[in-house]
Amino acid sequence: MMVLAVKVPTKLGEQVRRKLIELGKFDERYKIRREGGFLLIPVKEPIEGFEIIEADLEPKEIRPRSYKEVVNIPEELRRYLPTSFDIIGDLAVVEIPEELKGYEKEIGKAILKVHKGIRGVFAKGSKIVGEYRVRELIHLAGENRTETLHKENGIRLKLDISKVYFSPRLATERMRVFNMAKEGEVVFDMFAGVGPYSILLSRKAKLVFACDINPWAIKYLEENIRLNKSFNVIPILGDVRKVSGLIKADRIIMNLPKFAKDFLPYAFESAKPGSVIHYYGFGPESDPYGEHIKEIEKVANEFSFKIEILGKRIVRNYAPRQYNIAIDFKVIS
Ligand SMILES: C[S@@+](CC[C@H](N)C(=O)[O-])C[C@H]1O[C@@H](n2cnc3c(N)ncnc32)[C@H](O)[C@@H]1O
């Protein structure tokens, strides 16, 4: 394509290119071309003091930054396009609003096109439901496969997104818990899933008891123990209510926010003076922690324990005006 270019001897090329960028004149839509002992550098307009010619330069391939730039939907619906989606291994899971019904596959195709590492795209087909905390998924584009290998915090996790709970959005939270943990602890991961907390914490812990009621979660946890050589993680398939009485731990993770309060007695059953409990719940924007702290204190009292709050924070938005919160507390005799 014929465009304006500055012609400079090759040995001055880099210096001139930098100067043109500094002046805001460099035209980054085209590639620089070498011709004999000269470079032809594309510019937006003529600049005094430089030799300007018309040159045939190749346009640069501009890769779209977002799937929104390539998605094929009516213009007036663009504002409803989701701004983010979850990436688990090489699969994407997107929540599509009502307004975009009928365009799901177009969104799937656009995500595949822009994100080279993604092989399959799924839409959320329901809320997270049931004891296993899983949701329905609808295949939109690419491979119709739900098993994948996800990497986070230096560990590898194999899982099936249609059979087990997993949220990549908790990676930072898990690292925060890891940073609080001490060497040589006994950890009890009451709702372990495929092991993102258990396997990470096994890097510091002496022993990790990892319980889950979903047989698929335990199957993948066993595989992940092998993948990461985390042989100090003990997988337990079953209802944590039947297990908690058999374990005493230094650190207890309660990652079942929907039913957190109901399981507090079982966490205290596994606690001893000095144990730290990482409690997760959902709370309203107006007072995200209040009801949870009240319940924690009530149950602690029933066990003749006192508690010391070590920290509390909002982990992420859960629903409109609802937060997923975390409370870390220490059990005191
Ligand atoms: C929100 S998920 C958390 C999984 C994992 N900690 C993570 O971060 O990915 C909660 C898990 O608790 C398990 N679960 C639910 N009720 C249970 C129970 N009574 N006993 C043991 N596990 C249970 C579910 O199967 C699910 O895998």
Side-chain angles (χ1 to χ4, degrees), residues 3-6 16-30 32 41-48 50 52 57:
V3 295
L4 287 181
V6 165
V16 171
R17 187 186 71 93
R18 280 209 211 123
K19 187 74 195 163
L20 292 171
I21 291 173
E22 195 185 303
L23 294 171
K25 307 285 186 196
F26 181 61
D27 192 343
E28 57 196 24
R29 293 173 301 167
Y30 301 96
I32 297 174
I41 306 177
V43 285
K44 293 177 185 160
E45 58 195 20
I47 311 143
E48 227 176 288
F50 290 95
I52 303 286
L57 301 184

Side-chain angles (χ1 to χ4, degrees), residues 201-215:
L201 283 161
S202 76
R203 304 273 194 253
K204 276 188 181 170
K206 180 165 71 187
L207 209 53
V208 181
F209 293 105
C211 179
D212 205 286
I213 201 163
N214 177 352

